[in-house]
Amino acid sequence: MDAQNKEVDALVQKITGLHAAIAKLPSLSPSPDVDALFTDLVTACVPPSPVDVTKLGPEAQAMREGLIRLCSEAEGKLEAHYSDMLAAFDNPLDHLGVFPYYSNYINLSKLEYELLARYVPGGIAPARVAFIGSGPLPFSSYVLAARHLPDAVFDNYDLCGAANDRASKLFRADKDVGARMSFHTADVADLTDELATYDVVFLAALVGMAAEDKAKVIAHLGAHMADGAALVVRSAHGARGFLYPIVDPQDIGRGGFEVLAVCHPDDDVVNSVIIAQKSSDMHANGFRNGRGGQCARGTVPVVSPPCRFGEMVADVSQKREEFANAEVAF
């Protein structure tokens, strides 16, 4: 326990120092100094850690909240920079690899799709999808539309009109995905009847950065989404909670959803993923007994990434075959 406490104290001290350095930067637009500090920050936060950021003291909590806002601002400037760069190409979608973290979006979207396919009853084949908080570089929507949901229409929502203008330019030369993408400038709190038309709603990590704001957004979605529709919420776990808000699955349950799965990747995918479904048959505490007791009342169904589970099953099968062959040879 003492060793864990020392590890947590050392991490918080390091993050506090990085926060102070980032806060002193004259600008958060991409530059060598900005890139170096945020690289150090991500490198410190991504490895597994015993820290529970929700239990930090008031001073550390205030630092964390300020750091998440700085991360949000820097991420927005980084995405705007690369969106403008991509827009200069005749077909921007042919050059998405120029963005240094594009592979992270590929892996995150693949994880989200596989979790939806595995844990939503009956699987998914959505006709209409909403992405709340799509930003100027809507890679998540693009990857989902191009690789996983080829028949779905995507409505992307963002508070910033300039972000939507940038995003729409990226699809101008594409006749397939571009025809299935639309961009709307709106606050999620102002969306009502249209939310009932979506089969799946994705909620970006930085929509509602404070816990109470996130809970309000989820409750609003729960009040207006159709029964049976799926909700995908991006969260964070461990030290990654210094980079993104942590979403309490209980808040999702209280918002009118059944929590189907919670996944905390431990690789380059920084965000955790929560899969939920709008339900009209909820217990008072927001959770319902799942299929075969999978989501027992009051518990959180934490799962492994489906791809990793598949790899483990394949490895076990291979070992069995090798063992059987060895017995035959003997």
Short mmCIF file of all heavy atoms in Angstrom, two decimals, residues 17-57:
data_model
loop_
_atom_site.label_atom_id
_atom_site.label_comp_id
_atom_site.label_asym_id
_atom_site.label_seq_id
_atom_site.Cartn_x
_atom_site.Cartn_y
_atom_site.Cartn_z
N GLY A 17 3.36 19.43 -12.21
CA GLY A 17 4.42 20.19 -12.86
C GLY A 17 4.14 20.42 -14.34
O GLY A 17 4.37 21.52 -14.86
N LEU A 18 3.66 19.40 -15.01
CA LEU A 18 3.32 19.54 -16.44
C LEU A 18 2.17 20.51 -16.63
O LEU A 18 2.17 21.31 -17.57
CB LEU A 18 2.98 18.17 -17.02
CG LEU A 18 4.17 17.22 -17.21
CD1 LEU A 18 3.69 15.80 -17.52
CD2 LEU A 18 5.07 17.73 -18.35
N HIS A 19 1.18 20.45 -15.74
CA HIS A 19 0.05 21.39 -15.81
C HIS A 19 0.55 22.82 -15.69
O HIS A 19 0.14 23.71 -16.44
CB HIS A 19 -0.97 21.09 -14.72
CG HIS A 19 -2.00 22.16 -14.55
ND1 HIS A 19 -1.99 23.05 -13.49
CD2 HIS A 19 -3.06 22.50 -15.33
CE1 HIS A 19 -3.01 23.89 -13.61
NE2 HIS A 19 -3.67 23.57 -14.71
N ALA A 20 1.45 23.06 -14.74
CA ALA A 20 1.98 24.41 -14.55
C ALA A 20 2.72 24.89 -15.79
O ALA A 20 2.58 26.06 -16.20
CB ALA A 20 2.91 24.43 -13.33
N ALA A 21 3.50 24.00 -16.41
CA ALA A 21 4.25 24.38 -17.61
C ALA A 21 3.32 24.65 -18.78
O ALA A 21 3.52 25.62 -19.55
CB ALA A 21 5.25 23.27 -17.96
N ILE A 22 2.29 23.82 -18.93
CA ILE A 22 1.34 24.01 -20.03
C ILE A 22 0.56 25.30 -19.85
O ILE A 22 0.31 26.05 -20.80
CB ILE A 22 0.40 22.79 -20.13
CG1 ILE A 22 1.17 21.56 -20.59
CG2 ILE A 22 -0.77 23.07 -21.07
CD1 ILE A 22 0.40 20.26 -20.47
N ALA A 23 0.17 25.58 -18.60
CA ALA A 23 -0.61 26.78 -18.32
C ALA A 23 0.17 28.05 -18.63
O ALA A 23 -0.43 29.11 -18.88
CB ALA A 23 -1.06 26.78 -16.86
N LYS A 24 1.49 27.99 -18.61
CA LYS A 24 2.32 29.17 -18.88
C LYS A 24 2.56 29.40 -20.37
O LYS A 24 3.11 30.44 -20.75
CB LYS A 24 3.66 29.02 -18.17
CG LYS A 24 3.58 29.10 -16.65
CD LYS A 24 4.95 28.88 -16.01
CE LYS A 24 4.87 28.90 -14.50
NZ LYS A 24 6.18 28.61 -13.87
N LEU A 25 2.20 28.44 -21.21
CA LEU A 25 2.44 28.60 -22.64
C LEU A 25 1.66 29.79 -23.18
O LEU A 25 0.50 29.99 -22.83
CB LEU A 25 2.02 27.33 -23.38
CG LEU A 25 2.89 26.08 -23.16
CD1 LEU A 25 2.19 24.85 -23.73
CD2 LEU A 25 4.26 26.26 -23.83
N PRO A 26 2.26 30.59 -24.05
CA PRO A 26 1.55 31.74 -24.62
C PRO A 26 0.42 31.34 -25.56
O PRO A 26 -0.52 32.10 -25.77
CB PRO A 26 2.64 32.51 -25.36
CG PRO A 26 3.70 31.49 -25.65
CD PRO A 26 3.67 30.53 -24.51
N SER A 27 0.51 30.15 -26.12
CA SER A 27 -0.52 29.64 -27.04
C SER A 27 -0.52 28.12 -26.98
O SER A 27 0.51 27.49 -26.72
CB SER A 27 -0.25 30.10 -28.47
OG SER A 27 -1.10 29.42 -29.39
N LEU A 28 -1.69 27.53 -27.22
CA LEU A 28 -1.80 26.07 -27.27
C LEU A 28 -1.89 25.55 -28.70
O LEU A 28 -2.15 24.37 -28.93
CB LEU A 28 -3.01 25.60 -26.47
CG LEU A 28 -2.92 25.82 -24.95
CD1 LEU A 28 -4.20 25.37 -24.27
CD2 LEU A 28 -1.72 25.09 -24.35
N SER A 29 -1.67 26.43 -29.67
CA SER A 29 -1.60 25.99 -31.06
C SER A 29 -0.38 25.11 -31.26
O SER A 29 0.62 25.24 -30.52
CB SER A 29 -1.52 27.20 -31.99
OG SER A 29 -2.69 27.98 -31.91
N PRO A 30 -0.42 24.18 -32.23
CA PRO A 30 0.71 23.26 -32.42
C PRO A 30 2.03 24.00 -32.60
O PRO A 30 2.14 24.95 -33.37
CB PRO A 30 0.32 22.51 -33.70
CG PRO A 30 -1.17 22.55 -33.72
CD PRO A 30 -1.54 23.89 -33.15
N SER A 31 3.02 23.57 -31.83
CA SER A 31 4.37 24.13 -31.89
C SER A 31 5.29 23.12 -31.21
O SER A 31 4.82 22.22 -30.50
CB SER A 31 4.44 25.48 -31.16
OG SER A 31 4.33 25.29 -29.76
N PRO A 32 6.61 23.23 -31.39
CA PRO A 32 7.51 22.28 -30.73
C PRO A 32 7.33 22.23 -29.22
O PRO A 32 7.32 21.14 -28.62
CB PRO A 32 8.89 22.79 -31.12
CG PRO A 32 8.68 23.45 -32.46
CD PRO A 32 7.33 24.10 -32.36
N ASP A 33 7.16 23.40 -28.58
CA ASP A 33 7.01 23.42 -27.12
C ASP A 33 5.69 22.77 -26.69
O ASP A 33 5.65 21.99 -25.74
CB ASP A 33 7.05 24.86 -26.61
CG ASP A 33 8.45 25.45 -26.67
OD1 ASP A 33 9.42 24.67 -26.79
OD2 ASP A 33 8.57 26.68 -26.60
N VAL A 34 4.61 23.10 -27.39
CA VAL A 34 3.30 22.51 -27.07
C VAL A 34 3.33 21.01 -27.29
O VAL A 34 2.90 20.23 -26.43
CB VAL A 34 2.20 23.17 -27.93
CG1 VAL A 34 0.87 22.42 -27.76
CG2 VAL A 34 2.02 24.63 -27.55
N ASP A 35 3.86 20.59 -28.42
CA ASP A 35 3.91 19.16 -28.75
C ASP A 35 4.73 18.39 -27.71
O ASP A 35 4.33 17.29 -27.29
CB ASP A 35 4.50 18.95 -30.14
CG ASP A 35 3.63 19.54 -31.24
OD1 ASP A 35 2.47 19.88 -30.94
OD2 ASP A 35 4.11 19.66 -32.38
N ALA A 36 5.86 18.96 -27.29
CA ALA A 36 6.73 18.27 -26.34
C ALA A 36 6.06 18.10 -24.98
O ALA A 36 6.11 17.01 -24.37
CB ALA A 36 8.04 19.03 -26.18
N LEU A 37 5.38 19.14 -24.50
CA LEU A 37 4.74 19.06 -23.19
C LEU A 37 3.57 18.09 -23.19
O LEU A 37 3.40 17.30 -22.25
CB LEU A 37 4.28 20.45 -22.74
CG LEU A 37 5.38 21.36 -22.19
CD1 LEU A 37 4.85 22.78 -21.99
CD2 LEU A 37 5.92 20.81 -20.87
N PHE A 38 2.76 18.12 -24.24
CA PHE A 38 1.62 17.21 -24.28
C PHE A 38 2.07 15.76 -24.52
O PHE A 38 1.41 14.83 -24.06
CB PHE A 38 0.59 17.67 -25.32
CG PHE A 38 -0.32 18.74 -24.79
CD1 PHE A 38 -0.10 20.07 -25.08
CD2 PHE A 38 -1.39 18.42 -23.96
CE1 PHE A 38 -0.93 21.06 -24.58
CE2 PHE A 38 -2.21 19.40 -23.45
CZ PHE A 38 -1.99 20.72 -23.75
N THR A 39 3.16 15.59 -25.24
CA THR A 39 3.71 14.24 -25.39
C THR A 39 4.16 13.71 -24.03
O THR A 39 3.89 12.54 -23.69
CB THR A 39 4.90 14.24 -26.37
OG1 THR A 39 4.44 14.63 -27.66
CG2 THR A 39 5.54 12.86 -26.46
N ASP A 40 4.82 14.55 -23.24
CA ASP A 40 5.23 14.14 -21.89
C ASP A 40 4.01 13.82 -21.03
O ASP A 40 4.03 12.85 -20.24
CB ASP A 40 6.04 15.26 -21.22
CG ASP A 40 7.43 15.40 -21.80
OD1 ASP A 40 7.86 14.49 -22.54
OD2 ASP A 40 8.08 16.43 -21.53
N LEU A 41 2.96 14.62 -21.18
CA LEU A 41 1.75 14.40 -20.39
C LEU A 41 1.10 13.07 -20.73
O LEU A 41 0.75 12.27 -19.83
CB LEU A 41 0.76 15.55 -20.62
CG LEU A 41 -0.59 15.45 -19.91
CD1 LEU A 41 -0.40 15.48 -18.40
CD2 LEU A 41 -1.51 16.59 -20.36
N VAL A 42 0.92 12.81 -22.01
CA VAL A 42 0.29 11.55 -22.43
C VAL A 42 1.15 10.35 -22.02
O VAL A 42 0.64 9.33 -21.55
CB VAL A 42 0.04 11.56 -23.95
CG1 VAL A 42 -0.43 10.19 -24.43
CG2 VAL A 42 -0.99 12.62 -24.32
N THR A 43 2.47 10.50 -22.16
CA THR A 43 3.38 9.42 -21.79
C THR A 43 3.27 9.10 -20.30
O THR A 43 3.37 7.93 -19.90
CB THR A 43 4.83 9.82 -22.12
OG1 THR A 43 4.94 10.06 -23.53
CG2 THR A 43 5.80 8.72 -21.73
N ALA A 44 3.02 10.12 -19.49
CA ALA A 44 2.88 9.91 -18.05
C ALA A 44 1.53 9.29 -17.69
O ALA A 44 1.44 8.54 -16.71
CB ALA A 44 3.05 11.23 -17.31
N CYS A 45 0.49 9.59 -18.47
CA CYS A 45 -0.86 9.19 -18.09
C CYS A 45 -1.32 7.86 -18.67
O CYS A 45 -2.23 7.23 -18.11
CB CYS A 45 -1.85 10.29 -18.53
SG CYS A 45 -1.67 11.84 -17.63
N VAL A 46 -0.76 7.43 -19.77
CA VAL A 46 -1.28 6.25 -20.46
C VAL A 46 -0.96 4.92 -19.76
O VAL A 46 -1.82 4.03 -19.70
CB VAL A 46 -0.81 6.23 -21.93
CG1 VAL A 46 -1.01 4.85 -22.55
CG2 VAL A 46 -1.56 7.29 -22.73
N PRO A 47 0.23 4.73 -19.18
CA PRO A 47 0.50 3.42 -18.55
C PRO A 47 -0.46 3.13 -17.41
O PRO A 47 -0.99 4.05 -16.77
CB PRO A 47 1.94 3.59 -18.02
CG PRO A 47 2.54 4.66 -18.87
CD PRO A 47 1.41 5.60 -19.16
N PRO A 48 -0.72 1.84 -17.13
CA PRO A 48 -1.59 1.48 -16.00
C PRO A 48 -1.09 2.12 -14.70
O PRO A 48 0.12 2.18 -14.46
CB PRO A 48 -1.49 -0.05 -15.95
CG PRO A 48 -1.11 -0.45 -17.34
CD PRO A 48 -0.24 0.66 -17.85
N SER A 49 -2.03 2.58 -13.89
CA SER A 49 -1.66 3.26 -12.64
C SER A 49 -2.70 2.96 -11.57
O SER A 49 -3.89 2.82 -11.87
CB SER A 49 -1.60 4.78 -12.89
OG SER A 49 -1.49 5.49 -11.67
N PRO A 50 -2.27 2.87 -10.30
CA PRO A 50 -3.23 2.64 -9.22
C PRO A 50 -4.01 3.89 -8.82
O PRO A 50 -4.87 3.82 -7.95
CB PRO A 50 -2.32 2.17 -8.07
CG PRO A 50 -1.01 2.84 -8.31
CD PRO A 50 -0.87 2.87 -9.81
N VAL A 51 -3.74 5.03 -9.44
CA VAL A 51 -4.39 6.27 -9.04
C VAL A 51 -5.89 6.24 -9.34
O VAL A 51 -6.32 5.74 -10.37
CB VAL A 51 -3.74 7.50 -9.74
CG1 VAL A 51 -3.99 7.47 -11.24
CG2 VAL A 51 -4.26 8.80 -9.13
N ASP A 52 -6.68 6.73 -8.40
CA ASP A 52 -8.12 6.97 -8.60
C ASP A 52 -8.32 8.47 -8.53
O ASP A 52 -8.36 9.04 -7.44
CB ASP A 52 -8.94 6.25 -7.53
CG ASP A 52 -10.44 6.42 -7.74
OD1 ASP A 52 -10.84 7.27 -8.56
OD2 ASP A 52 -11.21 5.72 -7.06
N VAL A 53 -8.41 9.11 -9.68
CA VAL A 53 -8.42 10.57 -9.71
C VAL A 53 -9.67 11.14 -9.04
O VAL A 53 -9.68 12.30 -8.62
CB VAL A 53 -8.28 11.12 -11.14
CG1 VAL A 53 -6.96 10.68 -11.76
CG2 VAL A 53 -9.46 10.69 -12.00
N THR A 54 -10.72 10.34 -8.92
CA THR A 54 -11.94 10.84 -8.27
C THR A 54 -11.76 10.98 -6.77
O THR A 54 -12.60 11.62 -6.11
CB THR A 54 -13.13 9.91 -8.56
OG1 THR A 54 -12.89 8.63 -7.95
CG2 THR A 54 -13.33 9.73 -10.06
N LYS A 55 -10.68 10.41 -6.21
CA LYS A 55 -10.47 10.46 -4.76
C LYS A 55 -9.31 11.38 -4.38
O LYS A 55 -8.87 11.37 -3.23
CB LYS A 55 -10.21 9.05 -4.23
CG LYS A 55 -11.41 8.12 -4.38
CD LYS A 55 -11.14 6.73 -3.84
CE LYS A 55 -12.36 5.83 -3.99
NZ LYS A 55 -12.10 4.45 -3.51
N LEU A 56 -8.83 12.16 -5.33
CA LEU A 56 -7.77 13.11 -5.02
C LEU A 56 -8.31 14.25 -4.16
O LEU A 56 -9.52 14.52 -4.14
CB LEU A 56 -7.18 13.68 -6.32
CG LEU A 56 -6.48 12.68 -7.24
CD1 LEU A 56 -6.07 13.37 -8.53
CD2 LEU A 56 -5.26 12.07 -6.56
N GLY A 57 -7.40 14.93 -3.47
CA GLY A 57 -7.80 16.06 -2.64
C GLY A 57 -8.26 17.24 -3.47
O GLY A 57 -8.09 17.26 -4.71
#
